[in-house]
Amino acid sequence: MAAVTAPRMNAMTWGLLLLLGFIWGGSFFFARVAVQHIPPFTLVFLRLFLAALALHVYLHGAHDLYGCLRRRWREFAILGLINNALPHVLIFTGQTQIGAGLASILNATTPIWTVLVANSFTSDEKLTGQKLAGCVLGLLGTAVLIGPGALARSDIPFWALALPVLAAISYGVAATYGKRFRGLPAPVTATGQLTFSSLMMLPACLVIDSPWTLPMPPLDVIMAVLGLALLSTAFAYILFFRIMSLAGATNASLVTLVVPPGAILLGAVFLDERLGWGDIAGMALIGAGLIVLDGRLAGGLRRA
């Protein structure tokens, strides 16, 4: 029997991955602004509902959207739970105590969990020394970005640090489960999961947060919610499932290694935040990890 070849990254998929990393880097900033005024369950519902609504308007039934939702609603519901509802609640709850940068860095463990899950449940994305080395380099880079003393701060409760890691595990499972949607157009997969995850979150936010009792948030929070829903969710998931269809679950999960430096670079450009040597070193390690995971450089050296 012929060996199954794992999908590879090319210039286009690397470009999409980097773009998605910057967009999701911004999502942690939007969430940190919004969660100070909107409780986590309500914020997750708003993010998912507004994104689903935008995609329904965008598609207006194209690609047999509604027939696909009827036929595969159970699969979309499972994907929506493990890729949207559960991890978003975990991250936003953690962000009530920790900042955007730390949350994104803890979430950067996703490729490790994706590699382990894909190794157990797929035939074309088995664990190799190269993949493991690349993930370790990337995680070292995220550790350098955060600095040696950040995790030891006594004012941060352990549960706030653990929740984004649990979200990363959920994303790792979702990335492998999402392979079954590879034959669908990316906007259909994104719309399906967001539709059912927003339906799940509606009763949860009504019961837990009683949102009708909350005061009207300020304008900057409203803009943050819209950015979170339309840019960092609706558009971002179209990109994510496009990358997954082209390059596989493990490669798509690499976006979480790009998110922390993406957030730092956006802060340097738009918020006049200064980059330190630790930031540069951390991003260099993450870049090295991505190169190792890609494998083309090593293959070229072997052929030379």
Side-chain angles (χ1 to χ4, degrees), residues 55 57 71 89 288 292-293 299:
L55 286 177
V57 171
R71 291 190 301 270
V89 167
V292 170
L293 280 161

Side-chain angles (χ1 to χ4, degrees), residues 70-182:
R70 286 192 299 270
R71 291 190 301 270
R72 305 185 65 173
W73 70 268
R74 291 180 181 85
E75 294 172 285
F76 282 127
I78 293 172
L79 184 63
L81 174 65
I82 60 178
N83 202 41
N84 296 150
L86 178 60
H88 291 349
V89 167
L90 292 172
I91 291 172
F92 290 175
T93 303
Q95 282 196 266
T96 61
Q97 300 292 323
I98 62 177
L102 180 54
S104 68
I105 287 166
L106 293 171
N107 190 240
T109 57
T110 295
I112 289 288
W113 305 111
T114 304
V115 165
L116 295 175
V117 173
N119 177 69
S120 301
F121 296 102
T122 70
S123 61
D124 62 341
E125 297 192 52
K126 293 299 182 182
L127 181 65
T128 65
Q130 175 184 304
K131 287 181 179 180
L132 188 58
C135 286
V136 168
L137 279 172
L139 291 175
L140 284 174
T142 60
V144 171
L145 279 172
I146 193 66
L151 296 180
R153 285 177 52 187
S154 60
D155 60 330
I156 299 178
F158 174 77
W159 61 263
L161 301 174
L163 293 185
V165 177
L166 292 175
I169 297 174
S170 186
Y171 281 136
V173 175
T176 300
Y177 184 80
K179 287 165 63 71
R180 68 185 56 211
F181 300 97
R182 188 176 289 173

